[in-house]
Amino acid sequence: MAPNKPPHLRPALTRSTITTVGLLLLAIGLLLSWAWQGRAQVYPDAPAGQFACLSYTPRSDSSRGATADIHAQIERDLQQLSARTRCVRTYSVMNGLDYVPVAARKLGMRVLLGIWIGSNQQANEIEINQVIATAKQHADVIDAIIVGNEVLLRREQTVDALYAMLVRVRTATQLPVTYADVWDFWLKNPKLAEVSDFVSIHILPYWDDQPIGVEHAMAHVQAIYQKAQQTFPGKRIYVGETGWPSAGRQREGAKPSLLNQARFTREFIALVSQQQIPYNFIEAYDQPWKKRLEGTVGGYWGVYDAQGREKFPLTGAVVADARWWRGPLAGIIAAGWLLVVAQRTKHSRIHAALAGFSLGCTAVWQWDYLWQSNRTWQEWLAMGSFMLLTQAVFLLGLFKLEQRYSRWWTGLVLTLLVCVAYINLGLVFDARYRDFPSAFLLLPTAMLLLNSSARPYLARSNEVLLLVTWLILSSVAIAVIEDISNGSALLWCAISGLFGLVLSRQYWRMPVAHQHQRAEQ
């Protein structure tokens, strides 16, 4: 019988085995998640591969350029859109957008001409005068004028003020007029239907007060449309906006993704084609500037991206991410790099390879998050620094460099603790437009779970106790607030909660006397 190994060797062997298995499972999970993005999904084809109408704003912020540039951009955009629709809806006639009817006429397209109504009375007057002048010149291509968009939702005008504007524009142009808003604001303010030639309602299941998952979206659209018909008998009901975002934060069961956007789009077009429901789809192009107003999700409602590339076909299979291989490729490169480091520092090669693969896969995930969500250079700086911080904590713990640089190590982990606590503060009290940055905290949390020797010394201060306690409690609170159907929120809560639990366990296990000794060292 082989002699038993000395007891002092057994824990080290156990820790090494646990670390290996943990890193292997992490690498496999990340590989499968990337491969899942490359799957082809089949949805019902959109009849004729066409939209009835598309919301249109010039892409690339071209409205800030010279007049000739704006006109050229509008012509290029409408030339592209004419392959998918014969109608566009606009939201203003300023900054060169009064040229849309001119460009539409050249392509045989129709226009729902919108004017932007806000709280500034002088700006409203300019818009109204301009739309009247434009309508008189191009009435042959304008189907209707939409006087204001979600003004009541933003609480920028009263019902009586909008009523007067509708009467004024209809009298001056002799064209059909309407007002556009979320469906429940129409139900609350039926007076506007008296001076509207048709009722233009917005049905956006993602943005409803009770968000609707894409699998239930068509039933929701039908129910709301029927409710509007019952509320306004004899009036034509027009779906002025509907659509689904391709990126951004999940709201309960409503998850933004390219596949869900494609599914909603195709199922909606099939539904309205069968039931002869008139509609306008939001929107033609992604509008990155909307991220300043609505968070990440605001910039990703287009059927074309901001560069004018079609995001998904209306017929045939749809792939979530045709470049899914970027994650595994980055993982292989990072694994090779850490293998070289491990060879020089005499650390476990298998640990280095598995950790490197996970690091590379996660780095691409993090970059996609940064690219989608950041709106200003300040956000790029903040989130870019956060990304580097999480990677530094992961790598230092992996190679056990925290033992050599203990004070730096403790400072980095404390900084990370503060950052995560701040993120959770926003997700608890101001969550509507905030994303769940799970890609950033995954690796540091995994490393601290697998490498107990890397758990930092944390002084028993009131500040540390407050941060750790807040992190654990806020993770639970976010899960409750966001609902169990929100998988993105639950993933973040699990990661941030584990991060807090690991640090709190180390915090409470260390005797006070031992803390003083560590501090003196």
Side-chain angles (χ1 to χ4, degrees):
M1 180 181 295
N4 291 330
K5 291 186 177 181
H8 69 276
L9 293 181
R10 294 175 191 166
L13 179 61
T14 303
R15 285 198 299 269
S16 177
T17 303
I18 291 174
T19 301
T20 301
V21 172
L23 288 173
L24 178 62
L25 292 175
L26 179 63
I28 291 174
L30 287 167
L31 175 61
L32 291 177
S33 68
W34 276 107
W36 185 253
Q37 294 299 309
R39 75 193 190 282
Q41 188 69 42
V42 178
Y43 300 118
D45 291 343
Q50 292 281 317
F51 293 94
C53 198
L54 282 172
S55 291
Y56 170 66
T57 299
R59 58 190 173 93
S60 304
D61 244 0
S62 59
S63 60
R64 297 184 180 182
T67 300
D69 295 335
I70 299 168
H71 292 178
Q73 182 67 63
I74 290 173
E75 291 195 357
R76 286 193 297 269
D77 290 346
L78 294 194
Q79 180 68 51
Q80 181 181 36
L81 297 181
S82 65
R84 287 296 188 197
T85 185
R86 306 309 300 171
C87 166
V88 290
R89 173 191 169 182
T90 64
Y91 292 80
S92 174
V93 287
M94 305 307 296
N95 300 317
L97 286 171
D98 59 327
Y99 186 74
V100 171
V102 178
R105 182 186 290 110
K106 296 178 182 180
L107 297 166
M109 300 176 72
R110 309 295 298 175
V111 179
L112 291 174
L113 194 63
I115 60 176
W116 189 260
I117 300 298
S119 58
N120 187 314
Q121 298 298 338
Q122 183 177 1
N124 293 342
E125 189 65 22
I126 294 173
E127 283 269 357
I128 292 172
N129 288 334
Q130 182 62 60
V131 81
I132 291 172
T134 302
K136 289 180 177 179
Q137 294 178 359
H138 309 291
D140 58 311
V141 296
I142 299 172
D143 284 338
I145 298 175
I146 301 177
V147 183
N149 182 72
E150 298 184 352
V151 185
L152 296 177
L153 172 66
R154 299 192 307 273
R155 301 179 181 179
E156 292 181 342
Q157 290 291 335
T158 65
V159 172
D160 290 339
L162 288 171
Y163 189 102
M165 293 178 192
L166 284 161
V167 171
R168 177 183 172 187
V169 173
R170 177 202 268 171
T171 302
T173 64
Q174 297 300 303
L175 287 172
V177 298
T178 188
Y179 165 69
D181 212 325
V182 179
W183 61 271
D184 53 343
F185 279 85
W186 266 105
L187 301 186
K188 295 173 186 176
N189 301 281
K191 179 179 179 179
L192 292 176
E194 298 173 7
V195 287
S196 295
D197 292 279
F198 58 96
V199 174
S200 180
I201 60 173
H202 294 175
I203 309 177
L204 299 164
Y206 172 85
W207 276 131
D208 261 18
D209 291 337
Q210 297 295 325
I212 307 297
V214 70
E215 64 275 10
H216 305 298
M218 292 307 105
H220 178 70
V221 169
Q222 285 182 289
I224 297 304
Y225 191 80
Q226 291 171 1
K227 184 180 291 187
Q229 287 180 316
Q230 294 167 2
T231 305
F232 303 102
K235 280 285 184 180
R236 177 172 176 253
I237 307 299
Y238 184 81
V239 179
E241 280 186 3
T242 194
W244 197 272
S246 61
R249 64 122 51 216
Q250 184 172 345
R251 301 185 69 233
E252 297 185 12
K255 183 178 182 179
S257 72
L258 186 68
L259 288 181
N260 284 347
Q261 186 183 46
R263 176 179 176 177
F264 180 91
T265 302
R266 292 190 181 189
E267 290 182 353
F268 177 81
I269 295 177
L271 172 69
V272 297
S273 297
Q274 291 175 351
Q275 301 189 9
Q276 299 299 306
I277 297 175
Y279 73 93
N280 168 73
F281 205 83
I282 183 169
E283 58 193 330
Y285 298 105
D286 283 346
Q287 300 293 324
W289 61 270
K290 287 185 180 179
K291 292 190 289 186
R292 293 175 179 267
L293 305 174
E294 303 173 5
T296 301
V297 71
Y300 295 96
W301 289 79
V303 296
Y304 294 89
D305 67 17
Q307 287 71 47
R309 295 171 297 206
E310 189 174 53
K311 290 161 67 174
F312 57 87
L314 292 180
T315 58
V318 182
V319 177
D321 185 354
R323 300 186 301 156
W324 67 270
W325 47 264
R326 295 175 301 136
L329 177 60
I332 293 171
I333 294 172
W337 168 55
L338 288 189
L339 273 174
V340 173
V341 175
Q343 185 174 4
R344 293 182 178 181
T345 57
K346 298 181 180 180
H347 285 90
S348 170
R349 294 183 182 180
I350 189 169
H351 289 178
L354 291 173
F357 185 82
S358 297
L359 179 65
C361 288
T362 307
V364 178
W365 183 13
Q366 292 170 338
W367 174 257
D368 287 347
Y369 178 97
L370 294 176
W371 183 258
Q372 289 177 353
S373 64
N374 285 341
R375 299 164 291 185
T376 64
W377 69 266
Q378 293 93 336
E379 289 187 352
W380 273 100
L381 179 61
M383 292 305 297
S385 299
F386 185 55
M387 174 180 175
L388 295 177
L389 172 63
T390 59
Q391 292 176 349
V393 169
F394 175 68
L395 290 173
L396 286 173
L398 174 70
F399 287 103
K400 296 181 172 57
L401 295 176
E402 80 286 347
Q403 298 173 7
R404 183 181 304 176
Y405 306 105
S406 59
R407 291 189 178 180
W408 279 97
W409 168 251
T410 300
L412 287 174
V413 175
L414 282 174
T415 302
L416 184 56
L417 175 60
V418 172
C419 291
V420 178
Y422 176 78
I423 290 171
N424 277 12
L425 188 69
L427 289 173
V428 170
F429 295 106
D430 185 27
R432 185 174 177 85
Y433 301 127
R434 297 180 187 274
D435 300 334
F436 304 101
S438 301
F440 296 89
L441 195 57
L442 175 62
L443 292 187
T445 302
M447 186 276 300
L448 290 173
L449 281 171
L450 296 174
N451 186 5
S452 59
S453 64
R455 295 172 189 170
Y457 155 64
L458 297 177
R460 283 195 183 176
S461 65
N462 292 333
E463 292 80 5
V464 171
L465 177 60
L466 177 63
L467 287 171
V468 172
T469 304
W470 164 251
L471 198 56
I472 296 170
L473 295 179
S474 62
S475 297
V476 175
I478 294 168
V480 173
I481 293 169
E482 295 291 341
D483 192 78
I484 195 172
S485 60
N486 191 334
S488 299
L490 294 181
L491 176 61
W492 169 256
C493 292
I495 296 173
S496 64
L498 279 174
F499 183 72
L501 284 171
V502 170
L503 294 182
S504 67
R505 182 170 179 267
Q506 189 73 2
Y507 175 88
W508 287 112
R509 286 182 64 188
M510 183 174 290
V512 176
H514 186 50
Q515 290 190 50
H516 292 319
Q517 293 175 6
R518 291 283 300 272
E520 290 173 359
Q521 293 175 1

